Amino acid sequence: MFIGVLTMSKFRVYVETIRLSTSKRFELIDITHKVEDIVRRSGIKNGMCLVFAPHATAAIVANEHERGLLQDILEAIHEHFPPEKPWKHNMIDDNAHAHVASAFIGADRVFPVLNGELVRGTWQNIFLVEMDGPRSIRQVMVMVIGEAQ
Ligand code: ZN
Protein backbone atom coordinates (compact mmCIF):
# COMPACT_ATOMS: atom_id res chain seq x y z
CA MET A 1 0.00 0.00 0.00
CA PHE A 2 1.45 3.35 -1.06
CA ILE A 3 1.58 5.90 1.77
CA GLY A 4 3.29 8.96 0.37
CA VAL A 5 6.35 10.54 -1.19
CA LEU A 6 8.52 13.36 0.11
CA THR A 7 10.85 15.76 -1.68
CA MET A 8 13.05 17.40 0.92
CA SER A 9 14.23 20.93 0.48
CA LYS A 10 15.19 21.89 4.03
CA PHE A 11 17.09 18.93 5.44
CA ARG A 12 17.78 18.93 9.19
CA VAL A 13 19.50 16.66 11.69
CA TYR A 14 18.55 17.25 15.34
CA VAL A 15 20.15 15.39 18.25
CA GLU A 16 19.41 15.31 21.97
CA THR A 17 20.53 12.93 24.67
CA ILE A 18 18.24 11.72 27.45
CA ARG A 19 20.14 11.06 30.69
CA LEU A 20 18.69 8.57 33.15
CA SER A 21 19.68 6.70 36.26
CA THR A 22 18.41 3.20 36.92
CA SER A 23 17.62 1.71 40.31
CA LYS A 24 17.43 -2.05 39.71
CA ARG A 25 19.50 -4.73 37.99
CA PHE A 26 16.64 -5.36 35.53
CA GLU A 27 14.23 -2.57 34.73
CA LEU A 28 12.13 -1.13 31.90
CA ILE A 29 12.07 2.67 31.84
CA ASP A 30 9.39 4.35 29.74
CA ILE A 31 10.95 7.17 27.72
CA THR A 32 8.06 7.66 25.26
CA HIS A 33 7.13 11.17 26.29
CA LYS A 34 10.74 12.33 26.44
CA VAL A 35 11.28 11.05 22.88
CA GLU A 36 8.03 12.63 21.65
CA ASP A 37 9.01 15.98 23.22
CA ILE A 38 12.39 15.83 21.45
CA VAL A 39 10.66 15.15 18.13
CA ARG A 40 8.45 18.22 18.68
CA ARG A 41 11.46 20.36 19.66
CA SER A 42 13.38 19.18 16.59
CA GLY A 43 11.24 21.25 14.26
CA ILE A 44 11.28 18.36 11.83
CA LYS A 45 8.06 17.75 9.96
CA ASN A 46 8.71 14.52 8.07
CA GLY A 47 11.55 12.06 8.50
CA MET A 48 12.88 9.42 10.89
CA CYS A 49 13.67 9.24 14.58
CA LEU A 50 16.50 7.00 15.77
CA VAL A 51 16.39 6.06 19.45
CA PHE A 52 19.83 4.68 20.32
CA ALA A 53 21.35 3.58 23.63
CA PRO A 54 25.17 3.77 23.48
CA HIS A 55 25.50 0.87 25.92
CA ALA A 56 26.49 -2.79 25.55
CA THR A 57 24.35 -4.02 28.44
CA ALA A 58 21.07 -2.19 27.80
CA ALA A 59 18.53 -2.25 24.96
CA ILE A 60 15.65 -0.30 23.44
CA VAL A 61 12.23 -1.86 22.83
CA ALA A 62 8.78 -0.64 21.84
CA ASN A 63 5.73 -2.28 23.36
CA GLU A 64 2.70 -1.87 25.60
CA HIS A 65 3.12 -0.19 28.99
CA GLU A 66 1.09 -2.69 30.97
CA ARG A 67 2.41 -3.79 34.34
CA GLY A 68 2.01 -7.55 33.75
CA LEU A 69 3.53 -7.37 30.30
CA LEU A 70 6.54 -5.43 31.57
CA GLN A 71 7.15 -8.26 34.07
CA ASP A 72 6.67 -10.82 31.28
CA ILE A 73 9.30 -9.08 29.15
CA LEU A 74 11.82 -9.02 32.00
CA GLU A 75 11.05 -12.68 32.81
CA ALA A 76 11.56 -13.64 29.16
CA ILE A 77 14.93 -11.87 29.19
CA HIS A 78 15.90 -13.84 32.33
CA GLU A 79 14.74 -17.07 30.71
CA HIS A 80 16.63 -16.57 27.47
CA PHE A 81 19.73 -14.92 28.94
CA PRO A 82 20.01 -16.31 32.49
CA PRO A 83 22.48 -14.33 34.65
CA GLU A 84 23.46 -17.50 36.52
CA LYS A 85 24.62 -19.34 33.39
CA PRO A 86 28.43 -19.91 33.37
CA TRP A 87 29.06 -17.43 30.57
CA LYS A 88 32.70 -17.04 29.48
CA HIS A 89 32.61 -13.23 29.82
CA ASN A 90 31.88 -13.72 33.52
CA MET A 91 35.49 -14.92 33.96
CA ILE A 92 36.43 -11.21 33.70
CA ASP A 93 33.12 -9.49 34.54
CA ASP A 94 29.68 -10.35 35.96
CA ASN A 95 27.31 -9.15 33.28
CA ALA A 96 27.59 -11.49 30.30
CA HIS A 97 23.82 -12.08 30.29
CA ALA A 98 23.28 -8.34 29.73
CA HIS A 99 25.82 -8.13 26.91
CA VAL A 100 24.30 -11.11 25.10
CA ALA A 101 20.74 -9.88 25.61
CA SER A 102 21.69 -6.42 24.33
CA ALA A 103 23.31 -8.00 21.27
CA PHE A 104 20.13 -9.90 20.44
CA ILE A 105 17.43 -7.40 21.44
CA GLY A 106 19.30 -4.44 19.96
CA ALA A 107 20.31 -1.06 21.35
CA ASP A 108 18.18 0.98 18.94
CA ARG A 109 14.77 1.42 17.35
CA VAL A 110 13.69 3.68 14.50
CA PHE A 111 10.29 5.38 14.20
CA PRO A 112 8.72 7.41 11.41
CA VAL A 113 8.09 11.11 11.93
CA LEU A 114 5.08 12.49 10.06
CA ASN A 115 3.61 15.98 10.33
CA GLY A 116 5.90 16.83 13.24
CA GLU A 117 4.90 13.83 15.37
CA LEU A 118 6.56 10.53 16.20
CA VAL A 119 4.53 7.67 14.69
CA ARG A 120 3.94 4.68 16.96
CA GLY A 121 1.16 2.23 17.63
CA THR A 122 -1.24 2.88 20.51
CA TRP A 123 0.42 -0.01 22.37
CA GLN A 124 3.95 0.89 21.43
CA ASN A 125 5.59 2.85 24.20
CA ILE A 126 9.37 3.20 24.04
CA PHE A 127 11.52 1.71 26.80
CA LEU A 128 15.13 1.60 27.82
CA VAL A 129 15.80 -1.94 29.00
CA GLU A 130 18.25 -1.94 31.90
CA MET A 131 19.85 -5.35 32.32
CA ASP A 132 22.94 -4.50 34.37
CA GLY A 133 21.81 -1.87 36.81
CA PRO A 134 21.64 0.04 38.91
CA ARG A 135 23.59 2.66 36.97
CA SER A 136 23.94 6.30 37.89
CA ILE A 137 24.21 7.28 34.22
CA ARG A 138 22.44 5.71 31.27
CA GLN A 139 22.02 7.71 28.08
CA VAL A 140 19.68 7.46 25.16
CA MET A 141 20.55 9.42 22.04
CA VAL A 142 17.58 10.61 20.00
CA MET A 143 18.45 11.66 16.45
CA VAL A 144 15.69 13.11 14.30
CA ILE A 145 16.47 13.55 10.61
CA GLY A 146 14.33 14.88 7.83
CA GLU A 147 12.56 17.84 6.38
CA ALA A 148 12.50 20.95 8.57
CA GLN A 149 9.08 22.53 9.21
ZN1 ZN B 1 30.91 -6.92 30.80
PDB file of all heavy atoms in Angstrom, residues 124-149:
ATOM      1  N   GLN A 124       2.511   0.897  21.657  1.00  0.00           N
ATOM      2  CA  GLN A 124       3.952   0.893  21.430  1.00  0.00           C
ATOM      3  C   GLN A 124       4.608   2.045  22.168  1.00  0.00           C
ATOM      4  O   GLN A 124       4.950   3.055  21.563  1.00  0.00           O
ATOM      5  CB  GLN A 124       4.277   1.013  19.935  1.00  0.00           C
ATOM      6  CG  GLN A 124       4.223  -0.298  19.186  1.00  0.00           C
ATOM      7  CD  GLN A 124       4.596  -0.100  17.729  1.00  0.00           C
ATOM      8  OE1 GLN A 124       4.186   0.870  17.090  1.00  0.00           O
ATOM      9  NE2 GLN A 124       5.378  -1.021  17.208  1.00  0.00           N
ATOM     10  N   ASN A 125       4.777   1.891  23.463  1.00  0.00           N
ATOM     11  CA  ASN A 125       5.595   2.853  24.201  1.00  0.00           C
ATOM     12  C   ASN A 125       7.059   2.471  24.002  1.00  0.00           C
ATOM     13  O   ASN A 125       7.371   1.336  23.645  1.00  0.00           O
ATOM     14  CB  ASN A 125       5.226   2.845  25.674  1.00  0.00           C
ATOM     15  CG  ASN A 125       3.982   3.664  25.945  1.00  0.00           C
ATOM     16  OD1 ASN A 125       3.077   3.700  25.104  1.00  0.00           O
ATOM     17  ND2 ASN A 125       3.924   4.313  27.084  1.00  0.00           N
ATOM     18  N   ILE A 126       7.950   3.423  24.261  1.00  0.00           N
ATOM     19  CA  ILE A 126       9.372   3.196  24.037  1.00  0.00           C
ATOM     20  C   ILE A 126      10.062   3.048  25.393  1.00  0.00           C
ATOM     21  O   ILE A 126       9.859   3.884  26.289  1.00  0.00           O
ATOM     22  CB  ILE A 126       9.990   4.367  23.243  1.00  0.00           C
ATOM     23  CG1 ILE A 126       9.161   4.635  21.972  1.00  0.00           C
ATOM     24  CG2 ILE A 126      11.443   4.087  22.906  1.00  0.00           C
ATOM     25  CD1 ILE A 126       9.485   5.967  21.300  1.00  0.00           C
ATOM     26  N   PHE A 127      10.862   1.990  25.512  1.00  0.00           N
ATOM     27  CA  PHE A 127      11.517   1.706  26.799  1.00  0.00           C
ATOM     28  C   PHE A 127      13.018   1.529  26.640  1.00  0.00           C
ATOM     29  O   PHE A 127      13.478   0.891  25.681  1.00  0.00           O
ATOM     30  CB  PHE A 127      10.986   0.388  27.386  1.00  0.00           C
ATOM     31  CG  PHE A 127       9.536   0.415  27.742  1.00  0.00           C
ATOM     32  CD1 PHE A 127       8.574   0.065  26.801  1.00  0.00           C
ATOM     33  CD2 PHE A 127       9.123   0.767  29.021  1.00  0.00           C
ATOM     34  CE1 PHE A 127       7.223   0.080  27.125  1.00  0.00           C
ATOM     35  CE2 PHE A 127       7.778   0.785  29.351  1.00  0.00           C
ATOM     36  CZ  PHE A 127       6.825   0.438  28.398  1.00  0.00           C
ATOM     37  N   LEU A 128      13.754   2.041  27.623  1.00  0.00           N
ATOM     38  CA  LEU A 128      15.132   1.603  27.818  1.00  0.00           C
ATOM     39  C   LEU A 128      15.055   0.338  28.666  1.00  0.00           C
ATOM     40  O   LEU A 128      14.353   0.307  29.672  1.00  0.00           O
ATOM     41  CB  LEU A 128      15.950   2.665  28.570  1.00  0.00           C
ATOM     42  CG  LEU A 128      17.348   2.195  29.005  1.00  0.00           C
ATOM     43  CD1 LEU A 128      18.314   2.193  27.821  1.00  0.00           C
ATOM     44  CD2 LEU A 128      17.902   3.065  30.130  1.00  0.00           C
ATOM     45  N   VAL A 129      15.760  -0.701  28.230  1.00  0.00           N
ATOM     46  CA  VAL A 129      15.804  -1.940  29.003  1.00  0.00           C
ATOM     47  C   VAL A 129      17.130  -1.988  29.753  1.00  0.00           C
ATOM     48  O   VAL A 129      18.184  -2.149  29.144  1.00  0.00           O
ATOM     49  CB  VAL A 129      15.699  -3.185  28.091  1.00  0.00           C
ATOM     50  CG1 VAL A 129      15.558  -4.447  28.939  1.00  0.00           C
ATOM     51  CG2 VAL A 129      14.543  -3.059  27.107  1.00  0.00           C
ATOM     52  N   GLU A 130      17.054  -1.795  31.056  1.00  0.00           N
ATOM     53  CA  GLU A 130      18.250  -1.936  31.903  1.00  0.00           C
ATOM     54  C   GLU A 130      18.408  -3.408  32.246  1.00  0.00           C
ATOM     55  O   GLU A 130      17.465  -4.057  32.684  1.00  0.00           O
ATOM     56  CB  GLU A 130      18.068  -1.099  33.187  1.00  0.00           C
ATOM     57  CG  GLU A 130      19.182  -1.278  34.206  1.00  0.00           C
ATOM     58  CD  GLU A 130      20.530  -0.842  33.659  1.00  0.00           C
ATOM     59  OE1 GLU A 130      20.828   0.362  33.745  1.00  0.00           O
ATOM     60  OE2 GLU A 130      21.265  -1.713  33.146  1.00  0.00           O
ATOM     61  N   MET A 131      19.618  -3.939  32.012  1.00  0.00           N
ATOM     62  CA  MET A 131      19.852  -5.352  32.323  1.00  0.00           C
ATOM     63  C   MET A 131      21.096  -5.555  33.181  1.00  0.00           C
ATOM     64  O   MET A 131      21.470  -6.672  33.501  1.00  0.00           O
ATOM     65  CB  MET A 131      19.949  -6.149  31.019  1.00  0.00           C
ATOM     66  CG  MET A 131      18.639  -6.070  30.224  1.00  0.00           C
ATOM     67  SD  MET A 131      18.656  -6.950  28.675  1.00  0.00           S
ATOM     68  CE  MET A 131      19.746  -5.924  27.697  1.00  0.00           C
ATOM     69  N   ASP A 132      21.743  -4.432  33.524  1.00  0.00           N
ATOM     70  CA  ASP A 132      22.944  -4.500  34.368  1.00  0.00           C
ATOM     71  C   ASP A 132      23.000  -3.293  35.299  1.00  0.00           C
ATOM     72  O   ASP A 132      24.018  -2.637  35.442  1.00  0.00           O
ATOM     73  CB  ASP A 132      24.198  -4.575  33.483  1.00  0.00           C
ATOM     74  CG  ASP A 132      25.452  -4.883  34.275  1.00  0.00           C
ATOM     75  OD1 ASP A 132      25.353  -5.618  35.286  1.00  0.00           O
ATOM     76  OD2 ASP A 132      26.524  -4.386  33.902  1.00  0.00           O
ATOM     77  N   GLY A 133      21.866  -3.026  35.924  1.00  0.00           N
ATOM     78  CA  GLY A 133      21.805  -1.874  36.814  1.00  0.00           C
ATOM     79  C   GLY A 133      22.122  -2.271  38.246  1.00  0.00           C
ATOM     80  O   GLY A 133      22.464  -3.428  38.499  1.00  0.00           O
ATOM     81  N   PRO A 134      21.963  -1.359  39.179  1.00  0.00           N
ATOM     82  CA  PRO A 134      21.638   0.042  38.914  1.00  0.00           C
ATOM     83  C   PRO A 134      22.837   0.830  38.379  1.00  0.00           C
ATOM     84  O   PRO A 134      23.969   0.528  38.717  1.00  0.00           O
ATOM     85  CB  PRO A 134      21.217   0.566  40.288  1.00  0.00           C
ATOM     86  CG  PRO A 134      21.889  -0.328  41.284  1.00  0.00           C
ATOM     87  CD  PRO A 134      22.059  -1.664  40.617  1.00  0.00           C
ATOM     88  N   ARG A 135      22.544   1.799  37.544  1.00  0.00           N
ATOM     89  CA  ARG A 135      23.587   2.660  36.970  1.00  0.00           C
ATOM     90  C   ARG A 135      23.223   4.118  37.242  1.00  0.00           C
ATOM     91  O   ARG A 135      22.078   4.515  37.049  1.00  0.00           O
ATOM     92  CB  ARG A 135      23.668   2.468  35.449  1.00  0.00           C
ATOM     93  CG  ARG A 135      24.043   1.072  34.991  1.00  0.00           C
ATOM     94  CD  ARG A 135      25.520   0.787  35.240  1.00  0.00           C
ATOM     95  NE  ARG A 135      25.869  -0.507  34.662  1.00  0.00           N
ATOM     96  CZ  ARG A 135      26.664  -0.654  33.588  1.00  0.00           C
ATOM     97  NH1 ARG A 135      27.174   0.394  32.992  1.00  0.00           N
ATOM     98  NH2 ARG A 135      26.944  -1.870  33.137  1.00  0.00           N
ATOM     99  N   SER A 136      24.221   4.888  37.627  1.00  0.00           N
ATOM    100  CA  SER A 136      23.937   6.303  37.888  1.00  0.00           C
ATOM    101  C   SER A 136      23.751   7.069  36.580  1.00  0.00           C
ATOM    102  O   SER A 136      23.045   8.067  36.544  1.00  0.00           O
ATOM    103  CB  SER A 136      25.035   6.932  38.737  1.00  0.00           C
ATOM    104  OG  SER A 136      26.283   6.697  38.140  1.00  0.00           O
ATOM    105  N   ILE A 137      24.401   6.600  35.505  1.00  0.00           N
ATOM    106  CA  ILE A 137      24.207   7.278  34.217  1.00  0.00           C
ATOM    107  C   ILE A 137      23.938   6.270  33.103  1.00  0.00           C
ATOM    108  O   ILE A 137      24.765   5.418  32.810  1.00  0.00           O
ATOM    109  CB  ILE A 137      25.435   8.126  33.815  1.00  0.00           C
ATOM    110  CG1 ILE A 137      25.717   9.202  34.863  1.00  0.00           C
ATOM    111  CG2 ILE A 137      25.193   8.785  32.444  1.00  0.00           C
ATOM    112  CD1 ILE A 137      26.989   9.979  34.609  1.00  0.00           C
ATOM    113  N   ARG A 138      22.753   6.400  32.518  1.00  0.00           N
ATOM    114  CA  ARG A 138      22.439   5.714  31.267  1.00  0.00           C
ATOM    115  C   ARG A 138      22.005   6.816  30.314  1.00  0.00           C
ATOM    116  O   ARG A 138      21.330   7.777  30.725  1.00  0.00           O
ATOM    117  CB  ARG A 138      21.298   4.707  31.446  1.00  0.00           C
ATOM    118  CG  ARG A 138      21.670   3.413  32.137  1.00  0.00           C
ATOM    119  CD  ARG A 138      22.631   2.589  31.341  1.00  0.00           C
ATOM    120  NE  ARG A 138      22.629   1.183  31.753  1.00  0.00           N
ATOM    121  CZ  ARG A 138      23.507   0.298  31.263  1.00  0.00           C
ATOM    122  NH1 ARG A 138      24.411   0.662  30.376  1.00  0.00           N
ATOM    123  NH2 ARG A 138      23.456  -0.960  31.663  1.00  0.00           N
ATOM    124  N   GLN A 139      22.383   6.679  29.057  1.00  0.00           N
ATOM    125  CA  GLN A 139      22.022   7.706  28.084  1.00  0.00           C
ATOM    126  C   GLN A 139      21.266   7.091  26.925  1.00  0.00           C
ATOM    127  O   GLN A 139      21.506   5.948  26.565  1.00  0.00           O
ATOM    128  CB  GLN A 139      23.285   8.354  27.522  1.00  0.00           C
ATOM    129  CG  GLN A 139      24.105   9.067  28.558  1.00  0.00           C
ATOM    130  CD  GLN A 139      25.286   9.773  27.935  1.00  0.00           C
ATOM    131  OE1 GLN A 139      25.098  10.653  27.106  1.00  0.00           O
ATOM    132  NE2 GLN A 139      26.479   9.377  28.320  1.00  0.00           N
ATOM    133  N   VAL A 140      20.366   7.863  26.383  1.00  0.00           N
ATOM    134  CA  VAL A 140      19.678   7.461  25.158  1.00  0.00           C
ATOM    135  C   VAL A 140      19.794   8.630  24.184  1.00  0.00           C
ATOM    136  O   VAL A 140      19.340   9.738  24.479  1.00  0.00           O
ATOM    137  CB  VAL A 140      18.193   7.128  25.409  1.00  0.00           C
ATOM    138  CG1 VAL A 140      17.509   6.730  24.103  1.00  0.00           C
ATOM    139  CG2 VAL A 140      18.044   6.020  26.449  1.00  0.00           C
ATOM    140  N   MET A 141      20.444   8.370  23.064  1.00  0.00           N
ATOM    141  CA  MET A 141      20.552   9.422  22.040  1.00  0.00           C
ATOM    142  C   MET A 141      19.316   9.369  21.150  1.00  0.00           C
ATOM    143  O   MET A 141      18.909   8.282  20.695  1.00  0.00           O
ATOM    144  CB  MET A 141      21.806   9.218  21.196  1.00  0.00           C
ATOM    145  CG  MET A 141      21.886  10.214  20.048  1.00  0.00           C
ATOM    146  SD  MET A 141      23.232   9.847  18.938  1.00  0.00           S
ATOM    147  CE  MET A 141      24.563  10.610  19.844  1.00  0.00           C
ATOM    148  N   VAL A 142      18.721  10.520  20.921  1.00  0.00           N
ATOM    149  CA  VAL A 142      17.578  10.612  20.004  1.00  0.00           C
ATOM    150  C   VAL A 142      18.006  11.498  18.838  1.00  0.00           C
ATOM    151  O   VAL A 142      18.324  12.675  19.031  1.00  0.00           O
ATOM    152  CB  VAL A 142      16.338  11.190  20.723  1.00  0.00           C
ATOM    153  CG1 VAL A 142      15.157  11.294  19.762  1.00  0.00           C
ATOM    154  CG2 VAL A 142      15.979  10.328  21.941  1.00  0.00           C
ATOM    155  N   MET A 143      18.045  10.910  17.646  1.00  0.00           N
ATOM    156  CA  MET A 143      18.447  11.659  16.449  1.00  0.00           C
ATOM    157  C   MET A 143      17.257  11.719  15.498  1.00  0.00           C
ATOM    158  O   MET A 143      16.741  10.685  15.067  1.00  0.00           O
ATOM    159  CB  MET A 143      19.641  10.985  15.769  1.00  0.00           C
ATOM    160  CG  MET A 143      20.048  11.653  14.481  1.00  0.00           C
ATOM    161  SD  MET A 143      21.437  10.824  13.692  1.00  0.00           S
ATOM    162  CE  MET A 143      22.780  11.717  14.426  1.00  0.00           C
ATOM    163  N   VAL A 144      16.829  12.928  15.201  1.00  0.00           N
ATOM    164  CA  VAL A 144      15.692  13.106  14.297  1.00  0.00           C
ATOM    165  C   VAL A 144      16.243  13.696  13.003  1.00  0.00           C
ATOM    166  O   VAL A 144      16.967  14.696  13.029  1.00  0.00           O
ATOM    167  CB  VAL A 144      14.639  14.061  14.905  1.00  0.00           C
ATOM    168  CG1 VAL A 144      13.338  14.007  14.105  1.00  0.00           C
ATOM    169  CG2 VAL A 144      14.380  13.726  16.369  1.00  0.00           C
ATOM    170  N   ILE A 145      15.961  13.048  11.892  1.00  0.00           N
ATOM    171  CA  ILE A 145      16.468  13.545  10.610  1.00  0.00           C
ATOM    172  C   ILE A 145      15.301  13.687   9.624  1.00  0.00           C
ATOM    173  O   ILE A 145      14.368  12.891   9.640  1.00  0.00           O
ATOM    174  CB  ILE A 145      17.557  12.627  10.005  1.00  0.00           C
ATOM    175  CG1 ILE A 145      16.987  11.262   9.634  1.00  0.00           C
ATOM    176  CG2 ILE A 145      18.725  12.473  10.940  1.00  0.00           C
ATOM    177  CD1 ILE A 145      17.982  10.385   8.885  1.00  0.00           C
ATOM    178  N   GLY A 146      15.377  14.720   8.832  1.00  0.00           N
ATOM    179  CA  GLY A 146      14.326  14.882   7.831  1.00  0.00           C
ATOM    180  C   GLY A 146      14.128  16.316   7.405  1.00  0.00           C
ATOM    181  O   GLY A 146      15.016  17.157   7.536  1.00  0.00           O
ATOM    182  N   GLU A 147      12.921  16.550   6.947  1.00  0.00           N
ATOM    183  CA  GLU A 147      12.558  17.845   6.380  1.00  0.00           C
ATOM    184  C   GLU A 147      12.150  18.811   7.490  1.00  0.00           C
ATOM    185  O   GLU A 147      11.255  18.511   8.278  1.00  0.00           O
ATOM    186  CB  GLU A 147      11.367  17.609   5.432  1.00  0.00           C
ATOM    187  CG  GLU A 147      10.748  18.839   4.855  1.00  0.00           C
ATOM    188  CD  GLU A 147       9.370  18.518   4.269  1.00  0.00           C
ATOM    189  OE1 GLU A 147       8.682  17.604   4.748  1.00  0.00           O
ATOM    190  OE2 GLU A 147       8.998  19.194   3.305  1.00  0.00           O
ATOM    191  N   ALA A 148      12.836  19.960   7.558  1.00  0.00           N
ATOM    192  CA  ALA A 148      12.496  20.954   8.571  1.00  0.00           C
ATOM    193  C   ALA A 148      11.113  21.535   8.278  1.00  0.00           C
ATOM    194  O   ALA A 148      10.695  21.604   7.115  1.00  0.00           O
ATOM    195  CB  ALA A 148      13.537  22.051   8.594  1.00  0.00           C
ATOM    196  N   GLN A 149      10.434  21.955   9.354  1.00  0.00           N
ATOM    197  CA  GLN A 149       9.080  22.532   9.213  1.00  0.00           C
ATOM    198  C   GLN A 149       9.115  23.790   8.363  1.00  0.00           C
ATOM    199  O   GLN A 149      10.008  24.588   8.485  1.00  0.00           O
ATOM    200  CB  GLN A 149       8.535  22.919  10.592  1.00  0.00           C
ATOM    201  CG  GLN A 149       8.631  21.806  11.593  1.00  0.00           C
ATOM    202  CD  GLN A 149       7.289  21.261  12.026  1.00  0.00           C
ATOM    203  OE1 GLN A 149       6.268  21.557  11.419  1.00  0.00           O
ATOM    204  NE2 GLN A 149       7.286  20.431  13.035  1.00  0.00           N
TER     205      GLN A 149
END
